[in-house]
Each structure stands twice: as structure tokens, then as C-alpha cells.
């Protein structure tokens, strides 16, 4: 998958409480959650962010709670993908499971500035900064994770598996 | 090559002799848990599979605790989705009056046993490592998949071994130890690892303190924490269950990513200042930091021993006129036992409120949300910006004794400072 979008840059250890505060967890509706995304760290972010934009962040992005509402809110806001130095494990799984493209690329994060345009190819694992013209290799997802991405998210993968088992049992 | 405790449990769950850090393994799970915030999404995703039944109703558990007793219509609706699904499926379910905070309730009911693999749609699911489990938090969709298949995938984490040495000073508990540890290794010091808590200090440490420590493994970025199984854990479990279990032990030649020794001899009560759990100081180093609220409770420090420790400090004192003290037992069982011992009366006599069990203010839900510019000392586990209320509010994490002393003095303070003030007044 390829994306091109404006960079919104954040620091290290961005936690899920600032991505989507618990006071909004009464719904899991993407559009509703999107109105509040990043509200506690960048008030007004949801109004500024445009479809296709890219979140760029430091290490340990998405640390804290297990709320899947965090990647859902980011996706709901139209963010095309996230580029970070590293991800907290649960956020990483959640993003993959729901189909929010994420990629790990520390050098690209270091060089990117707020407002830059990035071109990201999550399949090839390449990030290009249009301002500087520099290209970066991202860390590849493990083959297991790539399978989930290919299936279109975890529940699609599981459903395929369940159907295959049922077919086998029925045969 | 020898195996760590995490490797041994995961190898068992995967049905293989050994696993190596970095391997992705599919494992059978012994328990799958969600709560009122994460369950509706899990249930919705589970239903997408077209399956009629969860893989094993006795291994799926729902606990209403975050916004329950329902704080408004939407939280009531979420709790209802969960309750109806639990009843329809015949899964384990803990209703109000027989429940409390998930990570307090499950151990109390003997559902977290040594050697098991437990996953929950709550990041503090890592708590059960105190019982020698591999337990870890995941999102709602991962939990939905496990409810369907009884399995999950796990990347075998490398292990960071923490060795606690020296002599534990009087009045220093699990919360002080874990805050000090996170202050030492950082909020990503254990990123994507398992923490093994070991050493002579751990060998003597009461079970409740181990639970408080393991609860915050996630705050160091870890997948989970694990404690060795011993007589202290066994005695605790003997009180709650007679189900069989099979503990694991680390091999002497197990390979560790890193070993960190922590000498506890000179520790004093620890606090974490805003806005990260790693921003630690000794409580008595903090000068003149006035506070507006104190919360004693949560899955970290809402157990009977925590309430006893806080009550011991606060007994005979009054909560500072500028402070609200909110005490919330971690479960209905804790509530009842605390009442039987008269702890509720001690807190109320001091001018506190003593509430029914809920997560409530810990995640800024209700029952004590904090306002713009306010400062709260809390025995919970996260002091992230906006966690307990307004984004400008400040949260200071502490153990129950510091929380109680701070409530009386109206500022961040250690129990020793409270005694000193008392001595001066007595003069
Ligand atoms: S008490 Fe706090 S940390 Fe524990 S489960 Fe509830 S909200 Fe989460």
C-alpha cells in the first residue's frame, strides 16, 4: 500500500490516554472517536488533520492501555498511516488487526519535520521525504503479521480459518 | 540452552519443548477476559466469525468494572451488551455485588493459576504474573479471535531479569519497589520483554506486594511480569482454590536479555511525578506540593493489605481541609473484609469517602474526576496527561501509606513527615 501525506509530528511515548482519553470510550464508532483524537496533546488536531495525512512519532508510540479505540480514532480521522520509531506491543497488534497501516522507521522520523510531505510504501517498507528527497528503509513486519495484513485484518483471517475448519468437518 | 519462565509457559502452550525469544508461536489460552469498555467491541468482532459459541464458556470471563455501576446511559448500554452476551453464552461473569475490579476479582476467585496463559482486553492483565502465569493485555479484536479459537499468537519476548537485593526498609512496599524500578529502567526499559522479578527481597515479599509490582510491568513497556512460584504464592492460592496447577521455574542457565540488580536497602517511600510513571522521587524530597485530592484504590493498590496500610497511617488524623480523600476497595470481597475490620470507619472518621468497588477515577471515568489545574495523589498506576480528568491536572503516583500521609498534610508527603509534624504539634 502506498500513501502520500502531510506530516503531523509527535514525540516519544505518546500514550493511548492522549490518543483518545477514556472519557470518550463510551463508543467504538470511528467517526465519533475521531472528533477527539489527540485532543489532550494537540487540541484542535481533529479539525486540522486532513484525509491522507500521516502521523510521525518517536519511540514507544501507543503505550498504555489496550484500548483499540486508539487506532480506530486515528483511522477514523482519515490518517493514512503512522510512521514511528517503535510501537508499544498492544497498539502494534491493534493497528494490524483493524487494518491501520503502520511502519517502523527511526531515521525517517528523526529527519521529518512537521508539515513535510512523506511518501510511504508499507508493502515495500520504504519511506521518502519529499522535501529532502531522502529515502529510508523501514523495518519489515514479520511474515506472520504480513499474513494478517494480507487477509485484511485479524478477524478476516480468523473467519477464513473457521470456515475452512467447518468445511473440513462437514466434508 | 535453559529457558526463562516466560519461555517455559509459552512452550507448554504451543505444545513444543522449547521456544526462542523472537519466535512467533500460536498458543492455547487458559483464560480470556474482557471488561465493560472493551467487551462490546470484542463481541461485535466475535460475531463476524459467524460462530454461535465461544470456544469454551468456562475459559471466557467478563467483568464489569470501568464505568460500572453504570455512570450514564451509554455505559449502562455497554454493560448490558456484555451481560447479555455472557448469559447467552454461559461464560464466567461477575455481576455487581459479587464483583469489583477485574484484576482483583479474578485472582480472588482462583482463576489465575501458575503456569497458565491468560489474555485480557486490558493492559493490566499482566498483573497475574504475580501468580507465575504468562498473562498479557491485548486489544478487543485479539480477544475476539481468542474467544473464537481458544488460541492466540505471541511473539516470545526476551526476558529482563530484575534481582532485588539488600534489606527492605520498614514501610516500603511493592508499589515503592515497582515505581523505583520503572524510574531506574524507564517507561520503555522493558519494551516488548517479560520481566522476571527475583532475588532475596522478592523471596520474602508478601503476595499482595507482588501483585502490585506485576500490575505495573506494562508501565515499563513489558509484555508481562512473572514471579517465581513459592510457598507464599501457594499459601495465597490455597485460600481461594483447590484446582490443580503446574508452576514453572526458570532454568539456572536460562538466557536473559539483561540482568538488573536493584539494592533496596536505602529506599524511602517513592512517588512518580507527572506525567510519566518513570518520573520518580522519594516522597520526602518533594517540597511544598499542595494537593486537592487523594485516591486510594485500583487494581494496583485496592487490596485489603493496602487499605490496612493506609488506615494505619491515617488513624486518629483528619483529612486536610483542602483535600478530598476517596477510598475505593478493589472488590466487593475487599470491601466487606475492610468493613468487618472497621477500616471503613477509620477512613470516614478521618473525613474520607468510602465507595463501592469500581475503576472510577483511575481512568478519569467518574467518582472523582479532577478539574483544570488540580493535583491528585493516587495509588493507581498511570499519571499520563488527562488520565484522571482535565489535561492540565497533575497526577502523582504513590503507595497507600504516602497517599494517606499526603491526604492529612494536604501536600505530597511521606508517613515519616506526618509523624514529624505530629511530634512538633505534641511539643
Ligand atoms: S483500576 Fe485502573 S488500571 Fe486497573 S483495570 Fe481499572 S482502569 Fe485499568
Amino acid at each position: 500500500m502506498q500513501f502520500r501525506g502531510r506530516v503531523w509530528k509527535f514525540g516519544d511515548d505518546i500514550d493511548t490516554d492522549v490518543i483518545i482519553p477514556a472519557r470518550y470510550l463510551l463508543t467504538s464508532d470511528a467517526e465519533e472517536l475521531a472528533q477527539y483524537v489527540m485532543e489532550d496533546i494537540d487540541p484542535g488536531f481533529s479539525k486540522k488533520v486532513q484525509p491522507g495525512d500521516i502521523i510521525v512519532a518517536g519511540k514507544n508510540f501507543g503505550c498504555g492501555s489496550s484500548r483499540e479505540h486508539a487506532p480506530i480514532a486515528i483511522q477514523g480521522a482519515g490518517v493514512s498511516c503512522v510512521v514511528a520509531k517503535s510501537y508499544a506491543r498492544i497498539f502494534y497488534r491493534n493497528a494490524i488487526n483493524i487494518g491501520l497501516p503502520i511502519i517502523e522507521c527511526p531515521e525517517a522520523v528523526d529527519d521529518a519535520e512537521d508539515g513535510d510531505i512523506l511518501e510511504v510504501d508499507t508493502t515495500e517498507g520504504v519511506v521518502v521525504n519529499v522535501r529532502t528527497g531522502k529515502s529510508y528503509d523501514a523495518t519489515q513486519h514479520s511474515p506472520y503479521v504480513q499474513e494478517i495484513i494480507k487477509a485484511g485484518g485479524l478477524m478476516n483471517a480468523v473467519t477464513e480459518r473457521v470456515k475452512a475448519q467447518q468445511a473440513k468437518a462437514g466434508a | 540452552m535453559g529457558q526463562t519462565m516466560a519461555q517455559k509457559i509459552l512452550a507448554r502452550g504451543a505444545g513444543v519443548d522449547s521456544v526462542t525469544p523472537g519466535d512467533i508461536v500460536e498458543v492455547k489460552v487458559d483464560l480470556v477476559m474482557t471488561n465493560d469498555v472493551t467487551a462490546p467491541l470484542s463481541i461485535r468482532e466475535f460475531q463476524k466469525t459467524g460462530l454461535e459459541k465461544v470456544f469454551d464458556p468456562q475459559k471466557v470471563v467478563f467483568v464489569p468494572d470501568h464505568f460500572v455501576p453504570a455512570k450514564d446511559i451509554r455505559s449502562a448500554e455497554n454493560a448490558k451488551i456484555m451481560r447479555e452476551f455472557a448469559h447467552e453464552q454461559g461464560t464466567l461473569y461477575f455481576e455487581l455485588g459479587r464483583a469489583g475490579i477485574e484484576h482483583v476479582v479474578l485472582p480472588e476467585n482462583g482463576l489465575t493459576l501458575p503456569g497458565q496463559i491468560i489474555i485480557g482486553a486490558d493492559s493490566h492483565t499482566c498483573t497475574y504474573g504475580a501468580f507465575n502465569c504468562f498473562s498479557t493485555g491485548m486489544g478487543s479484536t485479539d480477544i475476539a479471535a481468542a474467544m473464537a479459537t481458544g488460541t492466540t499468537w505471541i511473539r516470545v519476548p526476551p526476558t529482563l531479569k530484575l534481582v532485588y537485593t539488600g534489606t527492605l526498609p520498614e514501610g516500603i512496599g511493592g508499589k515503592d519497589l515497582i515505581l523505583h524500578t520503572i524510574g531506574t529502567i524507564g517507561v520503555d526499559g522493558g519494551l516488548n520483554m517479560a520481566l522476571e522479578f527475583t532475588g532475596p527481597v522478592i523471596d520474602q515479599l508478601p503476595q499482595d506486594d507482588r501483585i502490585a509490582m506485576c500490575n505495573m510491568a506494562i508501565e515499563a513497556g513489558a509484555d508481562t511480569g512473572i514471579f517465581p512460584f513459592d510457598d507464599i504464592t501457594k499459601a495465597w492460592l490455597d485460600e481461594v482454590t483447590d484446582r490443580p496447577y503446574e508452576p514453572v521455574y526458570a532454568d539456572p542457565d536460562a538466557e536473559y536479555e539483561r540482568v538488573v540488580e536493584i539494592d533496596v536497602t536505602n529506599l524511602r517511600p517513592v512517588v512518580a511525578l507527572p506525567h510519566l510513571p518513570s518520573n520518580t522521587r522519594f516522597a520526602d524530597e518533594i517540597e511544598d506540593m499542595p494537593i486537592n485530592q487523594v485516591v486510594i484504590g485500583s487494581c494496583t493498590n485496592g487490596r485489603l493489605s493496602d487499605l490496612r496500610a493506609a488506615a494505619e497511617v491515617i488513624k486518629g488524623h483528619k483529612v486536610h481541609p483542602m483535600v478530598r480523600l476517596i477510598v475505593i476497595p478493589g472488590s466487593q470481597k475487599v470491601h466487606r473484609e475492610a468493613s468487618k475490620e472497621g477500616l471503613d470507619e477509620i477512613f470516614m472518621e478521618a473525613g474520607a469517602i468510602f465507595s463501592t468497588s469500581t475503576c472510577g477515577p483511575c481512568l478519569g471515568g467518574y467518582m472523582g474526576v479532577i478539574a483544570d489545574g488540580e493535583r491528585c495523589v493516587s495509588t493507581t498506576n498511570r499519571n499520563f496527561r488527562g488520565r484522571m480528568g482535565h489535561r492540565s491536572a497533575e497526577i502523582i503516583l504513590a503507595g497507600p501509606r504516602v497517599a494517606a500521609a499526603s491526604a492529612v498534610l494536604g501536600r505530597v508527603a511521606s508517613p515519616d513527615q506526618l509523624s514529624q509534624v505530629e511530634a512538633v504539634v505534641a511539643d
Side-chain angles (χ1 to χ4, degrees):
Chain A
M1 282 180 284
Q2 288 163 334
F3 307 99
R4 184 189 163 99
R6 179 205 194 275
V7 168
W8 295 96
K9 193 163 178 186
F10 295 92
D12 292 335
D13 303 315
I14 298 297
D15 61 78
T16 55
D17 275 292
V18 300
I19 297 174
I20 185 77
R23 56 185 177 274
Y24 303 124
L25 297 185
L26 295 167
T27 177
S28 44
D29 178 69
E31 262 173 50
E32 196 178 340
L33 291 168
Q35 296 169 30
Y36 313 110
V37 66
M38 297 293 186
E39 180 180 281
D40 279 0
I41 191 162
D42 184 359
F45 177 77
S46 68
K47 298 220 165 57
K48 295 184 286 190
V49 68
Q50 296 297 318
D53 285 358
I54 293 172
I55 286 181
V56 172
K59 65 181 172 67
N60 202 19
F61 185 78
C63 62
S65 96
S66 71
R67 63 191 70 157
E68 210 157 283
H69 310 67
I72 293 175
I74 291 174
Q75 200 176 41
V79 169
S80 62
C81 71
V82 182
V83 180
K85 288 190 181 175
S86 64
Y87 296 91
R89 178 189 54 93
I90 305 177
F91 181 89
Y92 178 89
R93 293 180 73 115
N94 287 347
I96 299 291
N97 288 347
I98 68 155
L100 169 69
I102 59 171
I103 197 163
E104 211 174 274
C105 192
E107 294 82 20
V109 172
D110 277 334
D111 294 352
E113 289 172 14
D114 214 47
D116 280 359
I117 302 291
L118 290 190
E119 287 174 355
V120 181
D121 186 328
T122 51
T123 319
E124 295 299 320
V126 178
V127 178
V128 175
N129 187 319
V130 172
R131 177 176 58 86
T132 63
K134 246 174 126 177
S135 165
Y136 310 83
D137 287 336
T139 314
Q140 290 285 348
H141 297 295
S142 71
Y144 193 96
V145 168
Q146 286 178 22
E147 287 301 314
I148 298 175
I149 297 172
K150 245 194 266 163
L154 182 66
M155 286 326 282
N156 286 344
V158 169
T159 307
E160 276 171 30
R161 213 158 109 180
V162 166
K163 291 220 172 92
Q165 278 164 1
Q166 281 171 345
K168 220 166 115 191
Chain B
M1 184 49 69
Q3 304 261 309
T4 64
M5 290 188 275
Q7 282 171 276
K8 284 201 174 171
I9 299 176
L10 293 176
R12 195 190 278 170
V16 296
D17 289 340
S18 67
V19 293
T20 309
D23 288 355
I24 288 187
V25 290
E26 280 189 19
V27 293
K28 285 196 186 137
V29 293
D30 297 290
L31 193 66
V32 183
M33 186 258 310
T34 58
N35 58 51
D36 53 310
V37 167
T38 52
L41 199 48
S42 291
I43 293 167
R44 191 171 82 192
E45 293 300 310
F46 170 80
Q47 284 164 343
K48 284 187 186 166
T49 62
L51 285 171
E52 278 175 13
K53 287 275 166 200
V54 298
F55 81 103
D56 180 347
Q58 290 308 301
K59 291 183 178 171
V60 175
V61 56
F62 296 95
V63 188
D65 58 358
H66 278 59
F67 297 138
V68 173
K71 78 180 180 85
D72 55 18
I73 294 171
R74 295 182 89 178
S75 46
E77 303 284 355
N78 284 338
K80 185 172 165 219
I81 293 171
M82 178 166 104
R83 181 183 307 113
E84 288 180 351
F85 185 79
H87 290 328
E88 170 196 307
Q89 294 280 332
T91 67
L92 300 173
Y93 173 70
F94 292 94
E95 189 51 281
L96 288 193
R98 286 142 271 169
I101 303 169
E102 49 202 0
H103 310 308
V104 182
V105 169
L106 299 195
E108 271 175 6
N109 284 277
L111 289 170
T112 58
L113 299 180
Q116 289 187 332
I117 297 174
I118 301 176
I119 61 173
D122 187 277
S123 59
H124 293 102
T125 302
C126 60
T127 307
Y128 317 132
F131 298 91
N132 191 248
C133 308
F134 187 96
S135 62
T136 192
M138 292 187 183
S140 295
T141 299
D142 267 315
I143 292 307
M147 289 189 333
T149 63
T151 63
T152 192
W153 68 271
I154 287 174
R155 181 187 145 275
V156 179
T159 297
L160 166 61
K161 182 175 179 169
L162 297 160
V163 188
Y164 295 85
T165 59
T167 314
L168 191 68
E170 175 85 26
I172 298 297
K175 184 64 164 289
D176 301 295
L177 292 178
I178 192 63
L179 287 177
H180 178 67
T181 305
I182 297 166
T184 306
I185 66 173
V187 286
D188 60 351
L191 192 63
N192 301 337
M193 293 188 233
L195 307 181
E196 246 180 43
F197 296 97
T198 68
V201 174
I202 298 299
D203 295 342
Q204 306 291 322
L205 199 69
Q207 188 64 24
D208 284 1
D209 293 79
R210 299 180 188 189
I211 299 172
M213 289 181 79
C214 218
N215 176 268
M216 291 188 70
I218 177 80
E219 262 55 72
D223 290 3
T224 191
I226 304 189
F227 279 73
F229 177 79
D230 64 7
D231 287 345
I232 293 176
T233 306
K234 183 176 180 303
W236 202 101
L237 286 172
D238 283 349
E239 296 285 323
V240 295
T241 187
D242 49 15
R243 288 166 68 205
Y245 52 79
E246 217 180 309
V248 294
Y249 302 89
D251 290 326
D253 60 344
E255 212 180 319
Y256 293 95
E257 175 79 12
R258 204 177 143 202
V259 180
V260 176
E261 189 186 319
I262 296 180
D263 187 336
V264 304
T265 310
N266 296 318
L267 278 189
R268 309 205 297 275
V270 185
V271 295
L273 300 181
H275 293 280
L276 280 179
S278 56
N279 194 9
T280 53
R281 304 279 191 287
F282 291 134
D284 55 21
E285 287 171 353
I286 312 292
E287 276 173 38
D288 205 24
M289 191 181 271
I291 57 172
N292 310 92
Q293 179 171 300
V294 173
V295 170
I296 299 176
S298 85
C299 58
T300 321
N301 287 125
R303 295 182 179 75
L304 188 61
S305 55
D306 299 311
L307 300 190
R308 280 183 186 147
E312 194 184 283
V313 172
I314 213 159
K315 192 171 184 173
H317 294 281
K318 291 285 178 209
V319 174
H320 190 276
M322 301 303 283
V323 175
R324 294 104 51 183
L325 172 58
I326 300 170
V327 185
I328 309 179
S331 71
Q332 180 81 2
K333 185 174 171 199
V334 172
H335 192 149
R336 294 187 65 187
E337 285 171 358
S339 296
K340 265 185 223 151
E341 289 184 15
L343 303 182
D344 54 352
E345 196 48 41
I346 295 174
F347 289 116
M348 288 190 283
E349 179 64 34
I353 64 162
F354 194 83
S355 142
T356 192
S357 182
T358 176
C359 292
C362 171
L363 81 164
Y366 67 138
M367 284 292 301
V369 175
I370 41 182
D372 186 0
E374 287 198 319
R375 204 179 272 138
C376 177
V377 170
S378 181
T379 69
T380 53
N381 45 38
R382 286 195 177 130
N383 55 353
F384 298 154
R385 195 178 274 288
R387 170 81 179 176
M388 294 181 75
H390 196 277
R391 65 184 296 271
S392 79
E394 295 186 351
I395 305 160
I396 292 123
L397 302 178
R401 300 178 77 250
V402 168
S406 303
V408 175
L409 291 178
R411 58 182 168 90
V412 178
S414 73
D416 279 351
Q417 285 172 309
L418 177 58
S419 318
Q420 283 157 16
V421 172
E422 251 181 347
V424 173
V425 174
D427 272 358

